[in-house]
């Protein structure tokens, strides 16, 4: 696969392609597609029945269309809260049913894939697993949509190559998610690469989300980046919201309160949706080999 013109060996996509419109991913009654802007909200970790139920109902009332919550958490520190595991999955699924919101949760290992797919609507592949190729193949064999997060040291084409693994197994319902990359800049947790949005839309037909929470890592900077994500052409957002941010058991510094989230949703209403990928670039302009 590796050629001098394509040193990373990642550009020979067989299934992913550029087309005039992004493909539509359907999750329950939610459409992720050109002309739509979908907001996925919820806590970093599911912590208790009360926490996830309250969050589900409040974010829904404020305009969120999907509910997120981690049950299996990829924590840097092995002694940090690791999530509630299967109990968390059950609580998230219950909160989704109770609120009517489809659910998103991270799957960390191959042996979790089937059981999580039984009750959770969207399988999240986290940044740290973006190049876990066997896991990518495993979610590619399910019928659940996959939210694929960009690894924090991954190039745009490496993200697309990871998506290709999933799509090549027969699951074309993949949503790409820019969640910040590691740079020399220490002021933020990661650097949000907003330029990835139009580039990903130019190079593939997959819808693109932005996760400002894990990108910037600081509550008060999430709001402007939500506006920017919509304005730059993202199909949706993933944001962390907690009933009591000061008590969040993971990613406390970036947890939005319900009030913060409501203010963001109000502001987003005033920003138009960038509806057609074709507005951004004609299909003929991208030759992947030229960039290798
Ligand atoms: C998360 O969404 O909770 C998460 C751990 O994200 P990432 O994989 O982007 O760090
Ligand atoms: Mn988190």
């Amino acid at each position: 696969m590796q050629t001098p013109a394509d040193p990373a060996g990642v550009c020979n996509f067989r299934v992913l392609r550029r087309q005039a419109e992004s493909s539509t991913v359907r999750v329950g009654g939610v459409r992720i597609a050109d002309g739509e802007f979908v907001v996925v909200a919820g806590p970093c970790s599911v912590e208790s029945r009360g926490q996830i139920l309250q969050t589900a109902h409040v974010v829904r009332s404020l305009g969120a269309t999907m509910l997120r919550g981690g049950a299996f958490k990829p924590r840097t520190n092995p002694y940090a809260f690791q999530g509630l595991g299967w109990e968390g999955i059950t609580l998230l699924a219950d909160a989704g049913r109770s609120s009517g919101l489809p659910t998103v949760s991270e799957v960390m290992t191959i042996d979790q894939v089937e059981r999580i797919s039984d009750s959770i609507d969207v399988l999240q592949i986290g940044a740290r697993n973006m190049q876990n190729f066997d896991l990518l193949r495993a979610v590619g064999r399910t019928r659940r949509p996959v939210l694929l997060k960009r690894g924090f040291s991954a190039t745009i084409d490496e993200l697309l190559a990871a998506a290709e693994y999933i799509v090549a197994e027969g699951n074309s319902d993949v949503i790409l998610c820019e969640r910040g990359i590691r740079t020399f800049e220490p002021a933020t947790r990661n650097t949000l690469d907003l330029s990835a949005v139009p580039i990903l839309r130019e190079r593939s037909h997959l819808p693109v989300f932005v996760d400002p929470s894990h990108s910037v890592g600081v509550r008060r900077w999430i709001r402007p980046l939500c506006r920017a994500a919509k304005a730059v052409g993202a199909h949706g957002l993933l944001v962390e919201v907690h009933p009591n941010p000061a008590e969040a058991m993971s990613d406390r510094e970036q947890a939005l309160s319900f009030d913060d989230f409501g203010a963001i949703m109000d502001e987003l209403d005033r920003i138009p949706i960038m509806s057609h990928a074709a507005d951004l670039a004609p299909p003929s302009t991208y030759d992947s080999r030229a960039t290798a």
Side-chain angles (χ1 to χ4, degrees), residues 43-45 68 73-75 124 149 189 211 213-214 240 250-252 254:
C44 180
S45 301
R68 63 149 287 146
K73 297 301 302 177
R75 304 306 301 280
Q124 176 172 318
K149 291 190 135 194
R189 182 177 180 183
D211 168 357
S213 302
H214 292 88
E240 290 190 341
S250 55
D251 286 349
R252 185 174 297 169
Q254 68 195 37

Side-chain angles (χ1 to χ4, degrees), residues 218-292:
V218 176
R219 186 172 306 118
R220 67 183 179 282
W221 296 328
I222 293 172
R223 187 166 160 180
L225 295 179
C226 289
R227 295 195 300 264
K230 189 171 182 188
V232 83
H235 294 92
L237 281 177
L238 185 80
V239 284
E240 290 190 341
V241 181
H242 193 282
N244 184 0
E247 300 293 319
M249 292 172 78
S250 55
D251 286 349
R252 185 174 297 169
E253 301 306 317
Q254 68 195 37
L256 299 169
S257 68
F258 295 147
D259 284 350
D260 297 330
F261 180 66
I264 288 171
M265 294 302 282
D266 285 347
E267 278 190 348
L268 289 175
D269 274 348
R270 297 197 289 276
I271 297 172
I273 294 170
M274 172 76 84
S275 52
H276 298 294
D279 292 344
L280 300 167
S284 58
T285 58
Y286 176 57
D287 172 1
S288 61
R289 276 154 219 280
T291 65

